[in-house]
């Protein structure tokens, strides 16, 4: 497989419309159910509970009546890493090759039986998208019968994270193969659980490399490196679209869309005056 | 770690990393084998000399 | 009772007194062992780590003991490669301290991983691009070097040395120690550096990330340098503590002054590099990612600018200055202050490069995360200290660790071996 994201390979990604997201949490619930994500009896400590998809609440910081809020769902960002070469922050640091970058899909995988729980990947991920199994997974009696047979449950002492419902990709690939066109998975055949569960259609998922896919049409990713920061590749040419912490050069494949300036501004850190310089042509001109 | 592990790639990175590692391990092992053999030889020579002197 | 094992001519406390001391420290050790088994059998839910603090007290302890244990490789390098003869009077002790530090680090790592039985994956399925892989390989190999360096000292025990094979083995090992020491220096350079690289390559963490040379971030070089600088200070500190506890002078002043001087110059040069690194990071690296320096030191209840000032000025510039100036270096009180500050300084640096990295919020809507370790984490961190005390006590009692001890303590003729 060639080591870039721009040839015939897929590059799966999503765009989440934050103006449509109501913060209902359906994406979180569907994700947990689809992927056999374990939970604890007491979930009050959010820092040691597992939520592959987590919804953050953002505010504009203003007092009533000018207060505005937005909800930001955060799955694993499936970073392409600096220069989009596949050296994601987590993949590059894993000492036992237990997390891997799929150059054919752009998906960052986690090999549960290989991970020995050093948690370096968790430290390296700025999005807190990686979770450790502090306990053995336990389901209430009878509930284990409802677990998905397509996803292996994880054991205590290892790291897990959103896989972009990789088992659904495998099923779609099998289907495409069966129909004799193994190299072309249909857009509707591979959709993540969160995408299908979102009642307000805030999440759009597909192949960022395929101009026929809706996600590509919304994001309009620029395949060239940002002239002012060569680590950044795949920047959106849509001025209303942004990525989380884009300046770090992690090159996530999860994009966010909002008409509201204050929401877009919360996607990254800006020094005084920087935002004003780029806000009107964000997406067309780079910020270093 | 070994060329038969499936992660192994014959690239410059693996050659430098594991080249350095096996070089260091080789020196340590060879050094220890040498001192152990030499100590055994010295002990034997000493005991032969001693038994020779005692006669 | 055990006088036949005690080095000839050396005066030691009675066996009952020694045993009582060992029992007290042993109780602390058992407390740590209990916590260790709890972590192994019940899992890491026994700790207060969480998904924000994947790296916490244990990784700090690891980095700290390896840093202070750096005295072994650096002193070994100076003694065997640069052939500084005076250091032969402290090298045994430096090796023992290094052995304790590295064995502790390996033990802590074995507790710290979520699936201890899979620990060997780091070697077998090695990802050579990970700094942690380099750490694992070099650390294990260097521990082998320290064991090799420690063996001759063990074989010099009064009874062991009577066995001809052991006598010759110790002699022959001394004969080629320069080769082992050189290999140790090579391995140490890389694992000390890689421990710094662990933080420096985390480009998703603006507090940690650094530019660098080829594949190595600047923290790689700073960690090696600081271990070589502060490690000898720690060796001197433990020597001083041993002298106070035993009530004997064990190493001559000229040796102490020499090692203190070397440590001082290393600290001064290190701290200059550290200041340059900090300024470049604060004014170039972090701002290029949209972060102001104040982001890392404000809006939380613990991490303020005080930590930066303490690390660099109070525990860096001050001990460096004390140790390079002859008059202050040769003043025992000031020298003690300097080596204590230096040891705190390097431990604080490791704390910052582990715990503060985890604490700083990166996403703009995220918050600071602070953490307090659980008793199990504290107990397993204290465990190596207890183990270290016991090993030093045993080594001091039964091995000829300090070649100058007899000469320095031969005022009265020794009439009995206690």
């Amino acid at each position: 497989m060639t080591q870039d994201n721009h040839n015939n390979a897929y590059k799966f990604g999503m765009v989440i419309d934050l103006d449509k997201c109501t913060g209902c949490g359906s994406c979180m619930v569907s994700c947990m159910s689809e992927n056999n994500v374990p939970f604890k009896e007491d979930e009050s400590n959010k820092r040691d509970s597992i939520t592959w998809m987590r919804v953050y609440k953002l505010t504009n910081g203003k007092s009533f009546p000018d207060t505005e809020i937005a909800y930001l769902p955060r799955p694993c960002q499936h970073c392409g890493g600096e220069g989009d070469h596949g050296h994601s922050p987590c993949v590059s640091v894993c000492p036992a090759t237990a997390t891997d970058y799929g150059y054919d899909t752009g998906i960052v995988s986690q090999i549960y039986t290989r991970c020995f729980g050093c948690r370096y990947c968790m430290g390296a991920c700025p999005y807190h998208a990686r979770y450790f199994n502090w306990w053995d997974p336990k389901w209430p009696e009878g509930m284990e019968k409802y677990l998905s047979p397509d996803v292996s449950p994880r054991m205590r002492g290892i790291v897990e994270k959103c896989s972009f419902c990789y088992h659904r990709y495998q099923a779609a690939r099998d289907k495409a193969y069966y129909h004799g066109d193994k190299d072309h998975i249909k857009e509707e055949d591979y959709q993540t659980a969160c995408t299908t569960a979102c009642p307000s259609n805030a999440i759009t998922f597909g192949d960022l490399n395929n101009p026929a896919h809706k996600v590509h049409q919304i994001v309009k990713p620029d395949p060239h490196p940002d002239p002012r920061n060569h680590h950044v590749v795949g920047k959106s040419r849509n001025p209303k679209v942004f990525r989380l912490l884009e300046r770090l050069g992690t090159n996530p494949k999860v994009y966010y869309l909002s008409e509201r300036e204050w929401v877009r501004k919360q996607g990254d850190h800006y020094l005084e005056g920087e935002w004003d310089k780029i806000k009107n042509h964000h997406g067309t001109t780079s910020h270093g | 770690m070994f060329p038969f592990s499936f992660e192994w790639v014959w690239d410059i990175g693996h050659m430098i990393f594991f080249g350095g590692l096996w070089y260091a391990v080789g020196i340590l092992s060879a050094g220890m084998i040498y001192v152990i053999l030499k100590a055994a030889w010295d002990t034997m020579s000493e005991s032969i000399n001693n038994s020779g002197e005692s006669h | 009772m055990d006088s036949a094992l005690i080095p000839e001519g050396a005066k030691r406390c009675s066996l009952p007194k020694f045993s009582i001391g060992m029992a007290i420290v042993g109780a602390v050790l058992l407390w740590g062992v209990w916590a260790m088994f709890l972590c192994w059998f019940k899992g890491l839910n026994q700790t207060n780590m969480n998904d924000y603090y994947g790296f916490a007290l244990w990784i700090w302890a690891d980095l700290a003991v390896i840093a202070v244990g750096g005295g072994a490789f650096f002193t070994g390098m100076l003694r065997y490669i640069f052939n500084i003869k005076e250091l032969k009077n402290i090298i045994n002790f430096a090796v023992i301290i290094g052995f304790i530090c590295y064995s502790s680090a390996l033990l802590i790592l074995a507790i710290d991983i979520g699936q201890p039985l899979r620990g060997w994956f780091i070697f077998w399925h090695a990802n050579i691009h990970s700094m942690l892989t380099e750490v694992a390989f070099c650390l294990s190999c260097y521990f082998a070097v320290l064991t090799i360096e420690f063996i001759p000292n063990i074989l010099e025990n009064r009874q062991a040395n009577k066995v001809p094979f052991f006598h010759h083995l110790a002699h022959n090992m001394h004969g080629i120690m320069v080769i082992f020491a050189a290999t140790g220096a090579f391995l140490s350079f890389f694992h000390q550096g890689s421990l710094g690289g662990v933080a420096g390559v985390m480009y998703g963490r603006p507090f940690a990330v650094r530019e660098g040379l080829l594949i190595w971030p600047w923290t790689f070089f700073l960690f090696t340098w600081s271990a070589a600088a502060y490690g000898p200070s720690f060796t001197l500190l433990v020597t001083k503590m041993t002298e106070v506890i035993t009530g004997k002078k064990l190493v001559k002043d000229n040796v102490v002054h020499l090692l203190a001087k070397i440590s001082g110059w290393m600290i001064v040069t290190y701290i200059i590099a550290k200041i340059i690194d900090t300024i470049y990071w604060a004014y170039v690296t972090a701002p290029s990612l949209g972060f102001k320096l104040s982001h890392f030191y404000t809006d939380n209840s613990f991490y303020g600018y005080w930590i930066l000032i303490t690390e660099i000025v109070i525990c860096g510039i001050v001990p460096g200055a004390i140790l390079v100036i002859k008059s202050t270096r040769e003043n025992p009180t000031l020298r003690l202050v300097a080596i204590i500050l230096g040891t705190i300084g390097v431990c604080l640096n490791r704390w910052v490069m582990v715990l503060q990295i985890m604490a700083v919020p990166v996403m703009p809507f995220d918050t600071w995360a602070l953490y307090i370790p659980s008793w199990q984490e504290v107990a397993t961190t204290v465990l190596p200290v207890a183990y270290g005390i016991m090993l030093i006590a045993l080594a001091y009692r039964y091995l000829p660790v300090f070649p100058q001890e007899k000469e320095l303590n031969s005022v009265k003729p020794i009439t009995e071996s206690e």
Side-chain angles (χ1 to χ4, degrees):
Chain A
M1 194 58 60
T2 51
Q3 299 218 338
D4 65 62
N5 283 317
H6 317 297
N7 291 343
N8 296 323
Y10 298 111
K11 188 177 172 185
F12 292 109
M14 62 170 59
V15 58
I16 305 175
D17 188 336
L18 301 183
D19 299 338
K20 283 185 185 168
C21 178
T22 60
C24 71
S26 296
C27 53
M28 295 173 69
V29 174
S30 65
C31 172
M32 291 189 82
S33 155
E34 177 79 15
N35 292 292
N36 301 334
V37 175
F39 47 88
K40 300 175 295 178
E41 257 183 56
D42 176 8
E43 284 278 1
S44 54
N45 182 1
K46 297 297 175 199
R47 286 195 174 150
D48 61 14
S49 54
I50 303 176
T51 45
W52 286 12
M53 171 66 103
R54 181 174 168 188
V55 177
Y56 284 86
K57 184 180 175 182
L58 316 183
T59 86
N60 63 350
K62 292 184 180 166
S63 51
F64 180 82
D66 301 317
T67 310
E68 277 188 52
I69 56 167
Y71 293 96
L72 185 140
R74 188 246 47 216
C76 168
Q77 307 285 301
H78 293 277
C79 304
E82 284 180 337
D84 211 19
H85 296 304
H87 301 295
S88 321
C90 53
V91 171
S92 53
V93 301
C94 175
T97 334
T99 182
D100 197 26
Y101 187 83
Y103 287 99
D104 51 346
T105 57
I107 292 173
V108 174
S109 65
Q110 182 72 16
I111 308 164
Y112 306 128
T113 48
R114 177 75 67 77
C115 174
F116 66 90
C118 75
R119 305 180 300 284
Y120 190 8
C121 56
M122 291 168 62
C125 174
Y127 306 104
H128 295 296
R130 292 182 156 269
Y131 294 91
F132 188 71
N133 282 271
W134 300 100
W135 287 268
D136 275 316
K138 274 189 194 140
W139 283 274
E141 206 183 325
M143 198 179 161
E144 66 276 2
K145 290 176 185 157
Y146 293 90
L147 293 179
S148 165
D150 296 326
V151 183
S152 57
R154 282 73 60 186
M155 64 293 283
R156 187 181 82 195
I158 64 155
V159 173
E160 62 178 70
K161 64 162 200 78
C162 156
S163 66
F164 267 175
C165 291
Y166 196 78
H167 56 289
R168 290 190 175 202
Y169 164 71
Q170 289 171 315
R173 196 178 53 187
D174 289 350
K175 190 177 171 187
Y177 189 84
Y178 178 75
H179 289 293
D181 193 7
K182 66 182 171 69
D183 292 329
H184 294 96
I185 290 173
K186 286 184 188 159
E187 188 176 12
E188 64 272 21
D189 283 346
Y190 176 32
Q191 291 293 316
T192 60
C194 54
T195 309
T196 52
C198 178
S200 55
N201 276 324
I203 306 177
T204 307
F205 182 80
D207 180 9
L208 288 161
N209 278 352
N210 190 336
H213 281 210
K214 212 172 148 195
V215 68
H216 179 97
Q217 291 158 6
I218 298 170
V219 172
K220 300 184 189 80
D222 183 350
H224 306 293
D226 184 331
R228 289 173 63 186
N229 182 351
H230 287 271
H231 293 316
V232 177
V233 181
K235 206 171 157 68
S236 174
R237 282 178 284 206
N238 179 344
K240 307 295 181 201
V241 171
F242 64 97
R243 290 185 286 184
L244 277 181
L245 303 169
E246 195 168 54
R247 302 176 77 171
L248 299 183
T250 51
N251 290 313
K253 280 186 266 310
V254 176
Y255 292 79
Y256 294 93
L257 170 67
S258 180
E259 293 288 333
R260 291 173 286 180
E261 187 189 321
W262 73 265
V263 174
R264 294 199 300 274
K265 195 180 172 188
Q266 294 215 22
D268 220 327
H269 291 269
Y270 301 96
L271 298 178
E272 225 165 285
E274 276 186 336
W275 175 253
D276 292 327
K277 279 185 205 158
I278 63 118
K279 67 178 177 184
N280 295 324
H281 42 87
H282 180 85
T284 51
T285 307
S286 310
H287 52 284
Chain B
M1 188 172 178
F2 300 108
F4 50 78
S5 306
F6 68 84
E7 294 89 351
W8 184 280
V9 187
W10 284 105
D11 62 8
I12 190 77
H14 277 76
M15 283 189 251
I16 293 173
F17 185 93
F18 284 108
L21 172 83
W22 291 117
Y23 184 65
V25 171
I27 289 176
L28 296 181
S29 314
M32 278 313 288
I33 291 167
Y34 167 76
V35 289
I36 290 168
L37 291 177
K38 191 165 186 293
W41 177 259
D42 291 345
T43 312
M44 281 193 295
S45 316
E46 196 178 58
S47 65
I48 290 164
N49 288 343
N50 287 347
S51 60
E53 278 168 21
S54 66
H55 280 292
Chain C
M1 217 151 100
D2 59 345
S3 54
L5 289 164
I6 290 169
E8 218 164 337
K11 193 172 159 61
R12 298 289 181 264
C13 69
S14 68
L15 187 61
K17 192 177 169 187
F18 179 74
S19 303
I20 290 167
M22 291 293 270
I24 293 167
V25 186
V28 179
L29 182 109
L30 283 177
W31 179 54
V33 170
W34 168 244
M36 178 177 81
F37 279 106
L38 276 180
C39 293
W40 273 339
F41 288 104
K42 292 193 168 185
L44 296 184
N45 50 55
Q46 298 295 301
T47 71
N48 270 354
M49 288 192 281
N50 56 49
D51 293 324
Y52 275 56
Y53 275 95
F55 281 1
L57 185 74
W58 283 335
I59 296 291
W60 165 74
D62 256 325
L63 264 63
V65 293
I66 290 172
V68 296
F73 99 84
F74 193 61
T75 315
M77 195 174 88
L78 296 172
R79 164 68 190 95
Y80 295 111
I81 299 168
F82 292 94
N83 204 20
I84 301 178
K85 291 212 166 53
E86 291 94 323
L87 295 179
K88 74 170 191 275
N89 299 307
I90 201 163
I91 186 67
N92 288 342
F93 201 49
V95 165
I96 292 170
I97 295 167
F99 181 86
I100 290 164
C101 289
Y102 278 77
S103 48
S104 303
L106 289 170
L107 178 71
I108 295 173
L109 280 177
I111 308 169
D112 194 16
I113 55 179
Q115 286 279 337
L117 296 178
R118 294 182 191 170
W120 57 282
F121 284 10
I122 198 167
F123 303 108
W124 198 263
H125 298 298
N127 168 20
I128 57 156
H129 302 292
S130 171
M131 287 288 170
L132 216 50
T133 307
E134 199 170 315
V135 169
F137 275 104
C138 293
L139 201 133
S140 311
C141 289
Y142 183 59
F143 179 62
V145 172
L146 281 168
T147 310
I148 291 170
E149 290 182 341
F150 188 20
I151 287 171
N153 199 212
I154 298 171
L155 299 179
E156 281 161 3
N157 168 273
R158 208 160 125 194
Q159 297 306 319
N161 207 35
K162 286 179 184 167
V163 180
F165 176 73
F166 289 162
H167 172 82
H168 288 296
L169 187 60
H171 177 77
N172 290 334
M173 286 177 84
H174 276 304
I176 62 161
M177 200 52 85
V178 62
I179 294 170
F180 294 130
T183 314
F186 166 79
L187 291 165
S188 286
F189 178 80
F190 280 102
H191 77 248
Q192 294 282 0
S194 299
L195 281 170
V198 163
V201 299
M202 292 201 283
Y203 65 91
R205 295 280 190 165
F207 185 74
V209 71
R210 295 290 190 279
E211 279 101 345
L213 181 69
L214 303 173
I215 60 165
W216 299 292
W218 295 129
T219 46
F220 181 99
F221 304 98
L222 288 172
F223 265 51
T224 305
W225 204 335
S226 56
Y230 293 103
S233 274
F234 183 69
T235 307
L236 290 175
L237 179 62
V238 181
T239 307
K240 181 71 194 169
M241 285 160 71
T242 311
E243 286 183 336
V244 170
I245 292 165
T246 59
K248 286 188 196 131
K249 183 113 185 93
L250 300 168
V251 180
K252 281 185 181 172
D253 280 343
N254 68 322
V255 180
V256 171
H257 293 165
L258 176 67
L259 201 56
K261 184 180 170 184
I262 292 168
S263 182
W265 278 108
M266 288 296 290
I267 292 173
V268 166
T269 48
Y270 160 74
I271 215 72
I272 291 168
K274 174 71 187 168
I275 290 167
I276 294 168
D277 170 72
T278 305
I279 290 171
Y280 187 82
W281 162 75
Y283 291 100
V284 180
T285 311
S288 75
L289 304 170
F291 289 83
K292 281 194 291 189
L293 185 64
S294 59
H295 178 89
F296 306 111
Y297 296 99
T298 51
D299 292 335
N300 76 95
S301 56
F302 184 71
Y303 293 105
Y305 287 107
W306 68 267
I307 206 161
L308 189 64
I309 293 162
T310 308
E311 182 199 334
I312 293 180
V313 181
I314 301 171
C315 297
I317 296 172
V318 172
I322 292 174
L323 295 180
V324 292
I325 299 165
K326 191 170 186 284
S327 58
T328 49
R329 177 174 67 238
E330 292 182 2
N331 176 318
T333 311
L334 283 176
R335 187 173 64 243
L336 183 62
V337 168
I339 58 180
I340 290 172
L341 286 178
T343 305
I344 294 171
V346 74
C347 293
L348 193 60
N349 172 264
R350 288 349 186 219
W351 180 278
V352 165
M353 293 310 278
V354 175
L355 276 295
Q356 197 173 349
I357 291 170
M358 301 296 133
V360 174
V362 184
M363 289 188 288
F365 43 85
D366 214 346
T367 49
W368 278 82
L370 299 178
Y371 128 104
I372 296 168
S374 70
W375 76 262
Q376 290 91 333
E377 287 173 272
V378 175
T380 41
T381 307
V382 171
L383 187 160
V385 179
Y387 148 71
I389 292 170
M390 290 174 86
L391 193 65
I392 288 175
L394 284 167
Y396 170 73
R397 188 171 177 84
Y398 297 120
L399 306 178
V401 176
F402 297 101
Q404 295 174 320
E405 184 192 350
K406 215 168 145 184
E407 183 189 342
L408 287 166
N409 298 279
S410 59
V411 184
K412 291 186 287 185
I414 296 157
T415 53
E416 60 176 39
S417 302
E418 282 184 54

